[in-house]
Amino acid sequence: YNMETENLSVVLHSQGDLRLEQRPIPETGPNEVLLQMHSVGICGSDVHYWQNGRIGDFAVKKPMVLGHEATGRVVKVGSAVKNLKEGKKEMDEFFKSGNYNLSPTIFCATPPDDGNLCRFYKHSANFCYKLPDNVTYEEGALIEPLSVGIHACRRAGVTLGSSILICGGGPIGLVCLLVAKAMGASQVVMTDLSADCLVMAKELGADFPLILKREDGPEGLAKRVEGLLGAQPHITIECTGVESSVQTAIYATRPGGVVVLVGLGAAMTTVPLLNAALREVDIRGVFRYCNTWPMAIAMLASKKVNVAPLVTHRFPLEQAVQAFETTRQGQGVKIMLKCDKTDQNP
């Protein structure tokens, strides 16, 4: 690399206007490190910003680098950094204690903060995690979505013997499946409209893949789930945000159970709230994750969880627009952009 000039970046200027641009290499402060990015996954939220220019109250008002599912190698350390060395694989996180996910301050690739879909990215050394040698760069990049699954399963109270319904077999539904199984879930039903998604779900451990039909009503679908399990599930993890699916989640869950809402849908959603209240079904929200990196790294290093099959497509950074289009079309599961020209390996 020409460390003086070359920092190819994927920049969203406004709704629909995604560009590849050269940006200056960031200058690191005393407590920061410069990361040479290796593998960055494309998230549904990245595509949503591209297509809509905003997510809820977060609007793109100036050009913003996308990307937040990332891993890279330290190439420069600030003068005050003691815990990291050049050449180490790192995984970035943002705060390390408390419910920092609820803080309104900063999240990578959320306006106005740039993401890390670029050649070089600076980050606070305190919020970088070293990856063990037996964890690949791509596995490291998948720690971010895996963290959503960990946080959702923690919020749900998944434990040994839990029976679970997961609504939606996309990348987040699949990581919830992986984590639920690792935490001891005994039986998992996964629903989706796509047979292809459910093939992957079956390979990753779903006991009952259930293809939805558009004419299925929420209460009828809840009965089908109960029929498969022999009883209503203890927990439903809703990963679509679709109104009818949220309704199904409530009807399907057993009295005293828990519904966790991971998918983001309409700001106002009609649900059978009285049904949930009278049966003491708890409805819990999920916003990103917090304090999940150590568990995620341990799961990957110990091989308790295998996220490698989730990566179905790889593109060099130079083909980022094509990669985004592939994601928008719903092809594959997780699409990975390779940012290091000298190392395109997983």
Side-chain angles (χ1 to χ4, degrees):
Y1 289 112
N2 178 348
M3 281 288 289
E4 298 306 312
T5 59
E6 188 174 351
N7 188 22
L8 191 64
S9 305
V10 179
V11 184
L12 180 64
H13 280 251
S14 60
Q15 181 179 352
D17 185 4
L18 188 66
R19 307 180 197 175
L20 274 168
E21 294 179 351
Q22 295 289 0
R23 287 193 158 197
I25 304 280
E27 288 294 326
T28 53
N31 293 300
E32 294 176 323
V33 294
L34 185 65
L35 299 170
Q36 180 176 312
M37 304 313 297
H38 186 284
S39 299
V40 181
I42 299 177
C43 176
S45 66
D46 293 318
V47 175
H48 195 92
Y49 276 122
W50 170 41
Q51 293 293 296
N52 298 278
R54 66 184 307 126
I55 295 178
D57 294 334
F58 297 105
V60 177
K61 296 175 180 174
K62 63 182 180 67
M64 177 182 80
V65 179
L66 292 173
H68 58 266
E69 302 178 3
T71 190
R73 181 170 60 87
V74 176
V75 291
K76 187 177 178 183
V77 296
S79 57
V81 175
K82 300 287 189 284
N83 61 320
L84 300 173
K85 293 187 176 69
E86 292 173 15
K88 291 289 186 183
K89 291 190 288 188
E90 303 302 334
M91 184 63 248
D92 54 38
E93 193 187 8
F94 310 99
F95 302 96
K96 281 186 179 172
S97 63
N99 296 320
Y100 58 82
N101 57 317
L102 303 180
S103 163
T105 51
I106 183 171
F107 186 80
C108 191
T110 296
D113 300 299
D114 282 330
N116 42 34
L117 199 37
C118 50
R119 296 261 191 246
F120 295 98
Y121 177 73
K122 72 172 181 180
H123 203 61
S124 169
N126 283 332
F127 305 128
C128 290
Y129 278 95
K130 294 177 184 175
L131 287 180
D133 290 340
N134 68 337
V135 176
T136 68
Y137 282 107
E138 286 188 357
E139 288 171 329
L142 288 165
I143 285 175
E144 197 277 346
L146 184 63
S147 286
V148 177
I150 292 172
H151 189 54
C153 287
R154 282 177 174 171
R155 292 276 289 155
V158 175
T159 189
L160 286 169
S162 297
S163 60
I164 301 176
L165 166 63
I166 298 176
C167 302
I172 294 301
L174 293 172
V175 292
C176 288
L177 165 65
L178 288 170
V179 174
K181 280 293 188 177
M183 288 181 169
S186 59
Q187 290 185 305
V188 178
V189 177
M190 178 167 274
T191 62
D192 203 279
L193 288 164
S194 163
D196 290 342
C197 286
L198 293 179
V199 169
M200 175 72 81
K202 184 74 173 173
E203 291 172 359
L204 295 179
D207 301 282
F208 302 104
L210 181 58
I211 295 182
L212 302 181
K213 300 178 180 65
R214 294 204 178 268
E215 60 270 21
D216 283 332
E219 290 178 274
L221 186 54
K223 284 292 182 191
R224 288 175 66 191
V225 171
E226 183 177 359
L228 287 171
L229 291 171
Q232 291 176 299
H234 299 102
I235 292 161
T236 300
I237 302 175
E238 207 298 304
C239 299
T240 72
V242 175
E243 183 175 86
S244 61
S245 187
V246 178
Q247 294 168 357
T248 298
I250 291 172
Y251 287 129
T253 306
R254 75 175 58 181
V258 176
V259 173
V260 173
L261 303 179
V262 182
L264 299 175
M268 296 298 284
T269 302
T270 302
V271 297
L273 199 57
L274 197 62
N275 178 286
L278 294 177
R279 298 189 306 117
E280 296 193 2
V281 172
D282 289 358
I283 302 171
R284 300 178 186 171
V286 160
F287 189 61
R288 298 173 180 150
Y289 40 75
C290 60
N291 308 307
T292 52
W293 254 248
M295 179 185 282
I297 291 171
M299 281 178 160
L300 294 174
S302 65
K303 307 304 177 188
K304 295 287 186 199
V305 166
N306 180 19
V307 293
L310 296 175
V311 181
T312 53
H313 294 69
R314 295 174 178 86
F315 290 86
L317 184 60
E318 293 84 351
Q319 294 176 19
V321 176
Q322 183 184 342
F324 268 75
E325 184 59 33
T326 304
T327 308
R328 188 187 68 79
Q329 293 172 3
Q331 297 181 32
V333 179
K334 180 56 65 177
I335 293 176
M336 199 65 68
L337 279 160
K338 312 302 287 186
C339 302
D340 186 344
K341 286 192 294 191
T342 64
D343 181 7
Q344 298 285 299
N345 295 315

